[in-house]
Amino acid sequence: MISIIDYKAGNLTSVERALKNLSIPCRITNDPELVLQSDRVIFPGVGAAGEAMKAIQTTGLDKAIKTYFFSGRPLLGICLGTQIILEFSQENQTSCLGILPGEVIRFPDPHRDEEGKHLKIPHMGWNRVEWTRDHPLVRAIPPESVFYFVHSYYPVPREENLILGRTHYGFYFPSAVAFRNLVALQFHPEKSGPPGLALLKAFSEWEGKDAD
Amino acid sequence: MLTKRIIPCLDVRDGKTTKGIRFKNNIDIGDPVEMARFYYEAGADELVFYDITASAEKRAIMIEVVQRVAEEIFIPFSVGGGIACLEDMRQVLLAGAEKVSINSAAINNPALIQEGAQAFGGQCIVLGMDVKKVPPHAAVPSGYEMVIHGGRILTGIDALWWAREAERLGAGEICLNSIDADGTQKGYEMNLTPLISEAVSIPVIASGGAGLPEHLGQVLTEGKADAALIASMTHYGTYTVRQIKDYLKERGVPVRYIW
């Protein structure tokens, strides 16, 4: 059973609906015990890092997510869920879970492209993810695929080899990271049409082993 | 590179889609869930549902439509029309919409933008603007005035000022509709759109006047729009979303193909 972690941060039902459409059993839960009993866990989220960390600390989900991760079972972060998995976020100067070494930083304000043209923040809409290395989750995804983004902050893992995909918005930023049994995405696979659904399907079949 | 979004807009009344020509003579063209699925498969990047149901008691029908749409399509969609308070927003978002669009309610109560952004995140609050060209005067120096009730009532509010104010209050996006261009199929308002888009740092969706792929080409380049709303030109089968995207791609506008 896949658990979708509920910490009152935005649109959880969209992840649930996407999995249901793929006939993948899942449940939404905020119960640390149920998280620990799951075969797979999805950590979604939309909103601000500060509030989200407070919510997962009060419910005891912070410890459950860490314990779950160290058990070696597959964990998928999405958007804010991805950001909270790192050590620190510039958003509300928040100390986060620290499962993945690195920080979450904000796009510059004002943000410009190479020709000096003004780029809008949040980065909202469809953009390409260039996979920078092999991974079981992305083998079924065509290299030209675009995904739906909406965010002002992005994850920067401490080590370059943790980056799984990158996206260009003024400069290249890490849009997907992979670390042992964790894959964390800055974009929303549940809102990204067929390639997004293919990624969720691959996660539901993944055993938690990286390409090596 | 971030692609330009092509967004079909579906007007819904009493649970059925319609398309208004200058807000009059609406004719019925079908089931919103079927149309949503059709556009999802055709490669639309996002959808907008606009509830033009007049009576409050029929709003429950719209919530049911939103729930059914959310089960069928896996791209973002927004819902507007008749959203007047936080509770209305909550219902629409819980039913599965990615964003809510507020228009006259925000003019009557600008704090609603701020409250919505705080409660649900600015990324899901879209400010809908209905704008009419007028001779510039003291209250409306830009010559573009906010209108409500389908363009029937002038508000005395300057559109340029209002766009900036909405951004300051936390709106995540603007859907900019020209009442003058709406329904004409003669092209988007090419003075208003860049004026607003360059004045704010949030994305602007151009709306009103699309009839040809060239119109989208103009508004997404010189018009500085981040996205373009379409309706009649694809609803009636004159063009497909794919044809529009092929046209844009040939002219160097970045667009998304499904795979």
Side-chain angles (χ1 to χ4, degrees), chain B residues 49-233:
Chain B
F49 291 88
Y50 200 72
D51 184 10
I52 53 173
T53 305
S55 60
E57 63 266 26
K58 290 203 171 146
R59 288 202 51 81
I61 300 173
M62 190 61 191
I63 295 298
E64 201 192 300
V65 167
V66 174
Q67 282 167 343
R68 287 170 54 219
V69 167
E71 282 167 14
E72 293 283 330
I73 69 165
F74 300 96
I75 53 173
F77 66 94
S78 67
V79 175
I83 291 170
C85 61
L86 281 186
E87 186 47 36
D88 292 345
M89 293 182 185
R90 189 185 316 275
Q91 279 188 24
V92 166
L93 294 172
L94 276 178
E98 185 78 5
K99 306 171 185 178
V100 290
S101 177
I102 49 174
N103 191 327
S104 49
I107 288 180
N108 295 332
N109 173 23
L112 186 60
I113 299 172
Q114 207 162 17
E115 289 162 13
Q118 269 159 15
F120 311 113
Q123 83 289 336
C124 65
I125 309 297
V126 183
L127 177 76
M129 293 175 58
D130 284 334
V131 179
K132 193 171 172 54
K133 192 170 169 59
V134 295
H137 56 95
V140 185
S142 74
Y144 287 103
E145 184 163 349
M146 296 304 304
V147 295
I148 53 173
H149 295 289
R152 290 192 296 273
I153 299 177
L154 291 163
T155 62
I157 296 170
D158 188 283
L160 182 60
W161 176 83
W162 181 229
R164 289 188 173 126
E165 178 66 3
E167 178 182 29
R168 190 186 69 79
L169 291 168
E173 194 166 38
I174 287 172
C175 185
L176 179 67
N177 184 46
S178 163
I179 291 292
D180 308 300
D182 197 46
T184 64
Q185 298 208 49
K186 290 188 172 156
Y188 296 92
E189 225 285 16
M190 289 297 294
N191 295 313
L192 171 68
T193 313
L195 177 75
I196 302 293
S197 190
E198 294 196 304
V200 295
S201 65
I202 52 178
V204 170
I205 305 166
S207 163
L212 301 168
E214 288 89 314
H215 297 153
L216 285 95
Q218 284 162 6
V219 85
L220 294 170
T221 55
E222 302 132 64
K224 315 276 183 195
D226 300 285
L229 222 66
I230 51 173
S232 306
M233 66 184 290

Side-chain angles (χ1 to χ4, degrees), chain A residues 11 13 17-18 21 46 118 120-121 123-127 142 145-146 148 150 168-169 190-195 197-198, chain B residues 1-3 5 40 45 70-71 74-76 95-99 123 172-173 197 200-203 226 256 258-259:
Chain A
N11 211 342
T13 52
R17 269 188 288 263
N21 184 270
V46 173
H118 185 71
K120 298 191 169 184
I121 305 292
H123 171 228
M124 182 193 281
W126 297 81
N127 205 334
S145 298
V146 295
Y148 186 74
V150 49
H168 196 269
Y169 193 56
E190 76 282 12
K191 289 279 176 188
S192 294
L197 295 182
Chain B
M1 188 182 228
L2 188 62
T3 64
R5 287 170 285 154
Y40 172 63
D45 299 313
E71 282 167 14
F74 300 96
I75 53 173
E98 185 78 5
K99 306 171 185 178
Q123 83 289 336
E173 194 166 38
S197 190
V200 295
S201 65
I202 52 178
D226 300 285
R256 156 195 177 249
I258 295 177
W259 279 100

